[in-house]
Amino acid sequence: QGDRAAAEQTLRDGIAKLPQVADTHYVLGLLLAEDPQRPEEAYQELKRAAELEPAVARFQYNAGLLAQQLQHWEDAEKFL
């Protein structure tokens, strides 16, 4: 739990400094997706990564899968 919290804080610090780096949003989204209490937060980070780097298939795919799980149908269709 402590390592996860530290990792999350490090990623958030990185986003605060360089918000245009899609990889950081993506990794934070994956980390948050591991917590069943935080799927919407995870989705927002994955979505941001996909928007920043639309040519990266894994960003689109994972954002789409989580959008589908959250029943954000329009976004799921856009990303998948």
Side-chain angles (χ1 to χ4, degrees):
Q1 182 88 17
D3 289 340
R4 189 177 303 269
E8 180 181 346
Q9 189 57 54
T10 299
L11 291 164
R12 290 192 185 280
D13 290 346
I15 289 169
K17 290 177 185 165
L18 296 168
Q20 73 280 11
V21 177
D23 285 311
T24 312
H25 289 280
Y26 181 72
V27 173
L28 178 57
L30 293 179
L31 179 72
L32 294 171
E34 293 177 5
D35 184 341
Q37 304 286 342
R38 301 172 81 181
E40 189 63 44
E41 285 179 83
Y43 171 64
Q44 293 304 319
E45 295 300 330
L46 293 174
K47 179 180 176 182
R48 185 69 183 131
E51 291 169 345
L52 286 168
E53 294 284 347
V56 179
R58 73 178 183 279
F59 294 174
Q60 303 296 313
Y61 181 73
N62 284 300
L65 285 181
L66 198 47
Q68 196 172 41
Q69 287 179 339
L70 294 170
Q71 298 182 2
H72 296 317
W73 303 121
E74 198 170 298
D75 282 348
E77 199 173 300
K78 177 174 77 174
F79 292 126
L80 293 176

